[in-house]
Amino acid sequence: MSTKDKIHVLSRAVVRDQDHLLLCKTLDLPKTFYFLPGGHVEHGESVQETVLRELQEEAGAQDCTIKGLLGCLEYSFEPGHSSICHNHEYNFVFDVTSPSLKKHNPIPRLEDHIELLWLPLADLSTVDFRPEPLQNLLPKWLSTPSKHPLESVMI
């Protein structure tokens, strides 16, 4: 079984300040796109531990608090549009707060392949945001938490 045939589990953070959302922007790929901070769950690590570790690694934030689980998205890439490492993933998306992650505070660039930036939540539809279903799910999850915690493109 190749790496691309495996299911990947990711933990993502929704960090908001006023009407802005913290996003990662790709810097090392042929096509630029945006995604929520976070990453792969490591063996023996909970999804909650992962999101906090990733925020520390990507943004240097050591003061994050998980407010709750917004939802989980099961996503499989369209044929011919797979990622470099996998084709099927589960994204656990958490609502996270941090006193240091505010839109007026500079965010250090700690990883060469991404840049973190603030985007008005209303402008999310104007950028290439991935995985694509989260673009519509985030506003729904933020307005009515726990009403639809599991979404799947497989159904």
Side-chain angles (χ1 to χ4, degrees), residues 68-107:
L69 175 69
L70 290 172
C72 180
L73 169 66
E74 178 184 30
Y75 184 71
S76 187
F77 296 93
E78 294 291 326
H81 294 91
S82 64
S83 76
I84 294 169
C85 63
H86 64 284
N87 290 324
H88 192 104
E89 63 187 29
Y90 289 88
N91 288 271
F92 288 86
V93 181
F94 292 94
D95 192 3
V96 178
T97 61
S98 169
S100 64
L101 294 176
K102 300 296 179 190
K103 68 179 188 171
H104 62 273
N105 293 346
I107 302 169

Side-chain angles (χ1 to χ4, degrees), residues 134-152:
L134 279 179
Q135 192 171 65
N136 294 323
L137 285 174
L138 281 180
K140 181 168 78 169
W141 284 345
L142 290 169
S143 67
T144 56
S146 302
K147 295 284 185 191
H148 304 281
L150 177 62
E151 295 286 340
S152 176

